[in-house]
C-alpha cells in the first residue's frame, strides 16, 4: 500500500514529514494504518461511542450521491454533510475521522484535497490545508488511504478539489483514480460552469457525480443552467464570501432555495458559514435537502490538543448537528 | 506606415447603455453580454479583440488559444461579466476617453520619451564598429516611477463608473500598490493593498509611500508571503466584498477581462513607441525587449506590434539563482500549463499541482505564473522568452547607472541584462527598444547589500 511505503520513508517519526518541524503529537499516540485492526485506544473509543450494527452497513462506494438524497427524501430526512481536509493533522487521523463521522450518521462526507492557493477558503480551512501540506500529504497518499477506508464506510464520499491539481494529474486519470478509490462525487469550486463539460464527461464515465455551485451573486438565468447540469446535488453557497463560520445564516437563503426549487427537482444542500446545530436546523426548515458543515468541524478536529482529543470532540460535535436534523 | 494619432486611444467595442450602476442582489435579468464573437474577429477601429494566427486575442470567453479564461469561484462570475460589459461600454464613451487621456497627460506625465541610449549603444558596439542602436522607452519617468500607473488610472476610472467606492489591489514590488494608492488618493477612494510579508521587508520604502498616500497595507503571511499569496488574498477579499469593491489587478494575469483590460490600459506604451520610432528614424523597431513577471509592461509594449511579423518580441524572466537551482521565477521556460489566479497559463508547480515558491531578487518578477497572452505568444512562437539571474540583473543596474545616469528598477534590470546576450547577435543598425519599466530608487537598499560600488 502506498501509505505503508510512505510511512517507511521516515523511520524515526513513523509518518511522512516534509520538513524538520517537530511533530505536534508524540508519534506513538497515532495509529499506523499499516495495521488493518485499529489501534486499541481508537477502537475502544469508537466502540464506546458507536456500537456497530453491522447488519445495516451498506458499502459507501455502492451508493451514489443522488441515490443517497433520494433515499433520504423518501424518509423525510435532511442530509448532514460534514467536510474535513485530508491529512489534517495527518492521514491516519483522517481515516479515523471518516469512520467517526460515518458512525455519527453523516449522510455524505466531503473530503478536501489540500491546495496551496485556495481562493474560496477562509482562514480555518486554509490553515488546515497548510498543516496537511506541511505534513507531507500527497494525492497518492490520499488515494491509498481512501482505498483502505471506503469499504468500511456506509456513506458515500465526495471530494473537494481545486482545478489545478486535477489538470496536473490529467482529468481522465484523476477521475478514474478517484473512482477506483470509491469516491462517488466531486466538487471543483474554481471551474466556471461553461468549462465543466469535459469534467462532467469524464466523471460520468467513472460513476462520479460532478456537483456544481450556485451563489447569491449568480443570476437567475445562470443558476438555471447550473442546476440543470449539476449532478449528485446542487450546492447552494449561502453567503457571498469564502468558507468560514458566521454568526447567522444569510437571510437570502430561503428565497434562493425557492428559486432553485422552482428550477429543479434535484436535491439542494446549503453550505458555507453553518457552524452551529441551530444553523442546520434553520436551513432544513427553510427547505434545504442537505446541510454542509465545514470550517467548524475542521477547527474542532485540526486545532485540538491531540488527534485523540480531536476525534472525541469531533464525535460529540458531529452528533449535535445530526440531532438537530432529526 | 502611417503613425497613429498623438493622443493615446483607449479601447472600443459595441456600444452598450450606461451608466453602469452596482447591481442589486439577486439579479433577476439574464446577463448574456454582447461581446465580440468568438468565431469571427470583427476588427473595428482599434478593436480590443484583435487576431493572431487567426485566433482572437482574446475570444468572448477571454481565451487566447487555450490560455486565459475565468477560473474563479462562481461568486465572482457576475462581477467579472459586469466589469467586462462596463469596459466595452466605455470604449465608445468620449467623455471617458477624454478624462483618461487628460489624466495620463497632466497627472501621469505622458507621453514618455523614447530615449536613444548613446553610451549603452557604444558599449555594445563591436570592434568593427557595428552594433545595434538601443532606445529606452522611459516608463520610469511616469508619475510614481513605473508603468503601473497607466492601468491603475484606467481601472480607477472604471471603478468610479461602476459606483465602487472600495478598491483593493495586490502588489509585489510595491509599484502597483503605490500607483493604486496614488490614484485612490486622487479620486478619494478607499484603498486596501495586499502585500506579502516578505516583500514588505524588501520593498519597505514603497510600503511607507502607500501608507503616506492613505492606503491600508495588509501583510499576507500565508503560503510563501510573496506576490502569489498577496494575489490569492486579494481574490479572497474580492469574493467576500464583491458588491462594494473593485479589484485593481496589477498585471495581465487573472481571470478575463483582466488580461485584456490591463493590456489595453498599457497599450499606450506601444502606440507612442510606434509614433516616436517613425519620428526618430522614419521606421519601426526591429526588436522589443521587456522584463516579464506577470507581463504587463511587456504586453503594453508588444501589443501594438504583435501583427508586425518582422519585429522580434523578447520577454525576459527571472532566473533567480539559476534555472537548475530550483530557485527562480522563469515560468515560461521551466513551467507547465495549469490554472492560477483565474487563468489557464504556464506556471511553476510540483507533481501534485501545488503552486511552488518562486525566487527572484526582484519582488515584481517573483511570481510563479504569467499572463495568459504571453503563454499564447510563446506557444505560437511569436514571442521569445529568456531569463537572467539575480547576479546578472544586479550587474545591469550598475551598468545602466554608470553609462546613462539612469538607475533602473531591479525588474527592468533583467531586460537590460539580456542585452549582453542579445546585442552581439544583432545586425548593424538594428533598432532595439527596451521598456525601461521602472526606476530603481525602491531597490537601492537591496543593491547596497549586494553590490560593491
Amino acid at each position: 500500500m502506498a501509505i505503508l511505503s510512505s510511512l517507511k520513508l521516515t523511520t524515526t517519526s513513523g509518518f511522512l514529514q516534509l520538513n524538520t518541524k517537530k511533530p505536534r503529537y508524540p508519534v506513538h499516540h497515532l495509529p499506523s494504518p499499516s495495521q488493518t485492526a485499529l489501534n486499541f485506544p481508537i477502537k475502544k473509543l469508537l466502540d464506546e461511542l458507536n456500537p456497530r450494527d453491522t447488519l445495516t452497513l451498506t458499502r459507501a462506494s455502492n451508493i451514489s450521491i443522488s441515490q443517497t438524497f433520494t433515499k433520504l427524501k423518501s424518509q423525510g430526512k435532511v442530509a448532514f454533510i460534514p467536510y474535513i481536509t485530508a491529512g489534517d493533522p495527518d492521514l491516519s487521523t483522517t481515516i479515523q475521522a471518516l469512520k467517526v463521522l460515518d458512525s455519527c450518521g453523516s449522510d455524505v462526507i466531503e473530503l478536501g484535497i489540500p491546495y496551496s492557493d485556495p481562493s474560496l477558503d477562509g482562514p480555518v480551512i486554509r490553515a488546515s490545508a497548510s498543516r496537511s501540506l506541511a505534513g507531507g500529504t500527497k494525492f497518492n497518499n490520499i488515494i491509498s488511504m481512501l482505498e483502505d477506508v471506503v469499504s468500511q464506510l456506509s456513506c458515500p464520499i465526495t471530494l473537494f478539489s481545486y482545478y489545478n491539481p486535477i489538470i496536473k494529474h490529467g482529468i481522465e486519470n484523476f477521475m478514474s483514480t478517484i473512482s477506483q478509490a470509491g469516491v462517488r462525487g466531486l466538487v471543483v469550486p474554481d471551474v466556471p460552469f461553461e468549462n465543466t463539460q469535459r469534467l462532467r464527461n469524464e466523471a460520468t464515465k467513472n460513476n462520479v457525480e460532478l456537483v456544481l455551485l450556485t451563489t447569491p451573486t449568480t443570476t437567475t438565468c445562470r443558476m438555471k443552467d447550473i442546476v440543470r447540469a449539476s449532478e449528485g446535488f446542487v450546492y447552494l453557497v449561502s453567503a457571498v464570501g469564502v468558507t468560514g463560520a458566521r454568526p447567522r445564516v444569510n437571510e437570502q437563503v430561503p428565497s434562493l432555495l425557492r428559486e432553485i426549487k422552482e428550477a429543479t427537482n434535484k436535491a439542494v444542500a446549503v453550505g458555507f458559514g453553518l457552524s452551529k446545530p441551530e444553523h442546520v436546523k434553520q436551513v432544513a426548515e427553510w427547505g434545504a435537502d442537505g446541510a454542509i458543515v465545514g470550517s467548524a468541524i475542521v477547527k474542532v478536529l485540526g486545532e485540538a490538543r491531540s488527534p485523540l482529543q480531536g476525534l472525541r470532540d469531533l464525535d460529540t460535535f458531529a452528533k449535535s448537528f445530526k440531532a438537530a436534523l432529526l | 506606415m502611417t503613425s497613429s494619432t498623438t493622443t493615446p486611444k483607449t479601447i472600443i467595442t459595441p456600444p452598450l447603455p450606461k451608466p453602469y450602476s452596482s447591481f442589486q442582489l439577486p439579479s433577476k435579468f439574464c446577463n448574456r453580454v454582447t461581446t465580440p464573437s468568438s468565431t469571427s474577429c470583427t476588427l473595428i477601429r482599434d478593436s480590443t479583440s484583435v487576431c493572431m494566427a487567426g485566433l482572437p486575442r482574446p475570444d468572448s470567453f477571454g481565451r487566447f488559444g487555450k490560455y486565459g479564461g475565468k477560473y474563479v469561484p462562481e461568486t465572482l462570475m457576475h462581477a467579472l461579466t459586469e466589469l467586462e460589459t462596463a469596459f466595452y461600454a466605455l470604449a465608445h464613451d468620449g467623455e471617458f476617453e477624454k478624462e483618461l487621456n487628460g489624466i495620463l497627460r497632466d497627472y501621469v506625465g505622458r507621453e514618455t520619451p523614447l530615449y536613444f541610449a548613446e553610451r549603452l549603444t557604444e558599449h555594445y558596439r563591436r570592434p568593427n564598429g557595428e552594433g545595434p542602436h538601443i532606445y529606452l522607452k522611459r516608463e520610469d519617468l511616469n508619475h510614481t516611477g513605473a508603468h503601473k500607473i497607466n492601468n491603475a488610472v484606467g481601472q480607477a476610472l472604471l471603478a468610479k463608473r461602476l459606483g465602487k467606492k472600495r478598491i483593493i489591489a495586490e502588489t509585489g514590488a510595491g509599484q502597483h500598490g503605490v500607483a493604486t494608492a496614488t490614484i485612490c488618493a486622487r479620486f478619494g477612494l478607499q484603498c486596501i493593498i495586499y502585500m506579502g510579508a516578505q516583500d514588505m521587508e524588501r520593498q519597505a520604502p514603497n510600503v511607507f509611500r502607500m501608507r503616506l498616500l492613505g492606503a491600508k497595507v495588509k501583510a499576507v503571511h500565508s503560503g510563501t508571503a510573496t506576490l502569489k499569496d498577496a494575489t490569492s488574498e486579494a481574490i479572497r477579499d474580492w469574493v467576500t466584498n464583491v458588491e462594494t469593491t473593485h479589484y485593481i489587478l496589477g498585471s495581465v494575469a487573472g481571470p478575463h477581462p483582466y488580461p485584456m483590460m490591463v493590456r489595453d490600459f498599457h497599450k499606450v506604451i506601444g502606440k507612442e513607441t510606434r509614433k516616436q520610432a517613425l519620428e526618430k528614424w522614419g521606421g519601426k523597431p526591429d526588436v522589443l525587449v521587456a522584463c516579464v513577471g506577470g507581463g504587463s509592461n511587456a504586453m503594453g509594449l508588444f501589443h501594438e506590434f504583435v501583427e508586425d511579423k518582422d519585429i522580434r518580441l523578447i520577454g525576459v524572466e527571472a532566473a533567480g539563482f539559476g534555472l537548475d537551482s530550483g530557485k527562480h521565477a522563469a515560468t515560461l521556460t521551466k513551467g507547465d500549463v495549469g490554472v492560477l489566479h483565474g487563468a489557464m497559463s504556464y506556471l511553476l508547480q510540483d507533481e501534485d499541482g501545488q503552486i511552488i515558491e518562486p525566487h527572484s531578487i526582484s519582488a515584481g518578477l517573483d511570481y510563479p505564473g504569467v499572463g495568459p497572452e504571453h503563454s499564447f505568444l510563446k506557444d505560437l512562437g511569436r514571442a521569445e522568452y529568456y531569463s537572467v539571474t539575480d547576479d546578472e540583473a544586479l550587474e545591469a543596474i550598475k551598468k545602466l547607472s554608470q553609462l546613462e545616469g539612469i538607475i533602473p528598477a531591479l525588474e527592468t534590470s533583467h531586460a537590460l541584462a539580456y542585452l549582453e546576450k542579445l546585442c552581439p547577435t544583432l545586425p548593424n543598425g538594428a533598432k532595439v527598444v527596451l521598456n525601461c519599466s521602472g526606476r530603481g530608487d525602491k531597490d537601492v537598499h537591496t543593491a547596497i547589500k549586494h553590490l560593491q560600488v
Side-chain angles (χ1 to χ4, degrees), chain B residues 379-399:
Chain B
D379 277 8
L380 282 179
R382 178 64 191 95
E384 309 156 49
Y385 297 91
Y386 306 103
S387 58
V388 307
T389 62
D390 289 350
D391 287 342
E392 288 168 331
L394 284 162
E395 272 310 301
I397 283 193
K398 232 170 46 172
K399 186 166 283 163

Side-chain angles (χ1 to χ4, degrees), chain A residues 21 39 47 74 100 108 117 145 150 199 259 298 308:
Chain A
K21 275 204 208 125
N39 196 5
D47 284 346
S74 69
V100 165
V108 177
D117 289 79
M145 179 217 45
V150 164
L199 277 173
E259 266 186 16
V298 165
L308 198 54

Side-chain angles (χ1 to χ4, degrees), chain B residues 81-191:
Chain B
T81 305
E82 189 187 48
L83 192 55
E84 191 184 346
T85 308
F87 179 66
Y88 285 132
L90 289 172
H92 273 282
D93 188 329
E95 254 180 63
F96 178 83
E97 204 176 311
K98 198 163 155 216
E99 194 179 1
L100 178 62
N101 291 340
I103 297 172
L104 289 174
R105 186 185 56 242
D106 300 329
Y107 186 72
V108 173
R110 299 209 74 91
E111 53 182 55
T112 57
L114 183 65
Y115 165 72
F116 175 57
E118 189 181 346
R119 292 192 67 213
L120 196 63
T121 296
E122 198 186 307
H123 176 80
Y124 287 115
R125 195 163 288 141
R126 302 188 272 271
N128 64 0
E130 296 188 343
H133 298 164
I134 302 170
Y135 290 79
L136 301 176
K137 182 58 173 153
R138 301 296 307 277
E139 291 299 296
D140 59 305
L141 291 176
N142 285 320
H143 178 39
T144 68
H147 69 291
K148 296 290 188 185
I149 193 136
N150 301 325
N151 169 54
V153 169
Q155 285 205 48
L157 278 181
L158 186 56
K160 265 183 54 184
R161 288 301 180 109
L162 286 168
K164 304 281 167 101
K165 299 244 171 359
R166 183 177 178 269
I167 302 293
I168 61 175
E170 86 295 342
T171 197
Q175 288 301 122
H176 173 61
V178 168
T180 304
T182 299
I183 205 66
C184 286
R186 169 75 181 71
F187 289 138
L189 298 165
Q190 186 193 5
C191 183

Side-chain angles (χ1 to χ4, degrees), chain B residues 264-444:
Chain B
D264 283 359
F265 284 132
H266 279 305
K267 74 183 187 185
V268 58
I269 302 174
K271 279 189 160 318
E272 286 177 4
T273 301
R274 188 189 284 285
K275 178 186 75 78
Q276 289 162 328
L278 202 62
E279 281 165 5
K280 287 192 173 343
W281 66 81
K284 296 187 285 190
D286 296 301
V287 188
L288 301 176
V289 186
C291 64
V292 174
S296 58
N297 90 88
M299 273 326 299
L301 180 62
F302 294 174
H303 180 61
E304 173 71 19
F305 300 103
V306 166
E307 272 137 78
D308 288 83
K309 298 293 179 59
D310 48 343
I311 299 177
R312 277 177 77 185
L313 310 176
I314 295 179
V316 186
E317 294 186 300
F321 292 146
L323 289 178
D324 297 321
S325 68
K327 291 278 181 201
H328 60 80
T331 312
L332 289 163
T333 308
K334 297 290 261 182
D336 57 354
V337 179
V339 163
L340 177 62
H341 298 143
M344 177 89 66
S345 195
Y346 278 91
L347 52 100
L348 296 173
Q349 57 185 312
D350 71 11
E351 71 286 353
D352 253 11
Q354 306 294 347
I355 311 300
I356 62 177
E357 180 177 355
H359 165 76
S360 170
I361 194 170
S362 70
L365 302 187
D366 200 355
Y367 183 63
V370 73
E373 193 165 6
H374 283 292
S375 298
F376 175 65
L377 293 174
K378 173 191 153 82
D379 277 8
L380 282 179
R382 178 64 191 95
E384 309 156 49
Y385 297 91
Y386 306 103
S387 58
V388 307
T389 62
D390 289 350
D391 287 342
E392 288 168 331
L394 284 162
E395 272 310 301
I397 283 193
K398 232 170 46 172
K399 186 166 283 163
L400 192 71
S401 301
Q402 291 173 0
L403 287 175
E404 294 289 350
I406 299 172
I407 302 176
L410 270 169
E411 291 76 16
T412 310
S413 303
H414 284 71
L416 289 161
Y418 189 68
L419 292 175
E420 292 289 301
K421 301 200 179 77
L422 176 66
C423 292
T425 70
L426 292 177
N428 189 33
K431 303 284 193 234
V432 177
V433 172
L434 187 142
N435 208 6
C436 195
S437 51
R439 50 190 290 149
D441 302 59
K442 66 184 179 67
D443 296 313
V444 286

Side-chain angles (χ1 to χ4, degrees), chain A residues 116 118 139 164 168 217 221 259, chain B residues 28 30 75 236 336 339 352:
Chain A
S116 55
F139 179 68
N164 195 56
K168 182 67 183 177
T217 61
C221 186
E259 266 186 16
Chain B
K28 294 292 178 190
C30 195
T75 313
R236 285 187 286 262
D336 57 354
V339 163
D352 253 11

Side-chain angles (χ1 to χ4, degrees), chain A residues 175 196-206 210 231:
Chain A
M175 290 298 181
T196 52
Q197 193 58 54
R198 194 166 155 223
L199 277 173
R200 196 164 29 258
N201 291 344
E202 291 305 318
T204 305
K205 277 190 213 159
N206 289 283
L210 185 69
E231 298 167 343

